[in-house]
Amino acid sequence: MIVRILGEGQYDLDDHALDALNGLDNQIESAIESGDEAMFRTALQGLLAAVRTSGTHHDLDSLDESDLILPPPDATIDEVRELLGDDGLIPG
C-alpha cells in the first residue's frame, strides 16, 4: 500500500500496518468531533509518525498513485475535517 503525506512524499506500508493506523485515525476523529485541538494535534502527529516508522520511502521517480492521502503535519483541525470520509482518513 502506498500512503502519501501531503508535502512530504509517499511511503510503502504493509497492509497489516493499517490496524495500528486505524486506532490513531479514530483518535483524530474523536478530537475533531469534540473540537479538542491538543488531542487532535497529538493524534495527527502520532499517525504521521507511525506511517514514517512503519513504512519505507516510495521511489521518488515513481508515478504510482497513492492508496491513502494524509494531511501534512501542520494541517488545521478544520482542514482535516474536510478530508474525513465516512471511515475517517483511513478506511476500515
Side-chain angles (χ1 to χ4, degrees), residues 10-86:
Q10 292 177 308
Y11 293 84
D12 293 313
L13 274 83
D14 291 329
D15 289 342
H16 73 273
L18 282 183
D19 291 337
L21 298 180
N22 268 320
L24 294 163
D25 185 36
N26 290 339
Q27 291 176 18
I28 291 171
E29 285 185 85
S30 295
I32 289 173
E33 288 172 9
S34 66
D36 186 332
E37 181 71 35
M39 185 169 115
F40 164 75
R41 186 69 37 216
T42 299
L44 178 60
Q45 297 308 316
L47 176 65
L48 300 180
V51 169
R52 292 180 194 115
T53 58
S54 299
T56 57
H57 281 281
H58 192 71
D59 183 12
L60 291 175
D61 295 327
S62 170
L63 297 176
D64 295 329
E65 208 171 293
S66 301
D67 298 302
L68 293 174
I69 299 175
L70 299 178
D74 61 349
T76 66
I77 199 167
D78 291 328
E79 290 169 337
V80 174
R81 183 180 289 117
E82 291 178 21
L83 292 174
L84 288 177
D86 291 339

